[in-house]
Amino acid sequence: QVQLVESGGGLVQAGGSLRLSCAASGSTFGINAMRWYRQNPGKQRELVAAISSGGSTNYADSVKGRFTISRDSAKNTVDLQMNSLKPEDTALYYCNVGGVEPWGAPFEYWGQGMQVTVSS
């Protein structure tokens, strides 16, 4: 069992910055990928950024150059630094982790979501 605690969301003006953090606890040994998704009522849930246990990253085209994902595997945390925010970045942001338990069982866990609102 893994628990994810998100923090850092809120209201910010266009052009501003925000840093989201996600801390995993519990059975964290097998965590591999750590990701951020987002969703709002008008769109499908989309992958914003992902980072592997080896440090390989992937970003949605809409956030490349503005967002940076990072992780501290020793602390089981993943952050999303969001710069030059736009109103279209407004969404509910979800932390997601996946991996394999030491005995071979795959797992995936989701945070409950953190609201980010960018005003114009």
Side-chain angles (χ1 to χ4, degrees), residues 41-101:
K43 298 181 180 179
Q44 294 182 311
R45 183 175 298 186
E46 66 172 338
L47 177 65
V48 178
I51 185 167
S52 71
S53 60
S56 179
T57 59
N58 182 250
Y59 297 92
D61 289 340
S62 60
V63 307
K64 286 182 179 178
R66 300 188 297 119
F67 290 11
T68 302
I69 189 171
S70 61
R71 69 186 289 171
D72 185 335
S73 295
K75 297 180 179 179
N76 295 307
T77 60
V78 58
D79 292 350
L80 186 68
Q81 178 65 46
M82 305 185 293
N83 298 325
S84 301
L85 283 162
K86 305 174 181 179
E88 47 264 49
D89 294 318
T90 295
L92 193 65
Y93 283 72
Y94 295 89
C95 179
N96 169 273
V97 302
V100 182
E101 299 284 4

Side-chain angles (χ1 to χ4, degrees), residues 3 12 16 28 31-32 39 50-51 69 74 80 86 96 98-100 104-105 107 113:
Q3 296 79 45
V12 66
T28 60
I31 291 176
N32 182 6
Q39 186 176 30
I51 185 167
I69 189 171
L80 186 68
K86 305 174 181 179
N96 169 273
V100 182
F107 65 85

Side-chain angles (χ1 to χ4, degrees), residues 13-34:
Q13 292 186 328
S17 298
L18 211 57
R19 188 176 184 90
L20 305 183
S21 296
C22 177
S25 62
S27 301
T28 60
F29 180 82
I31 291 176
N32 182 6
M34 306 187 82

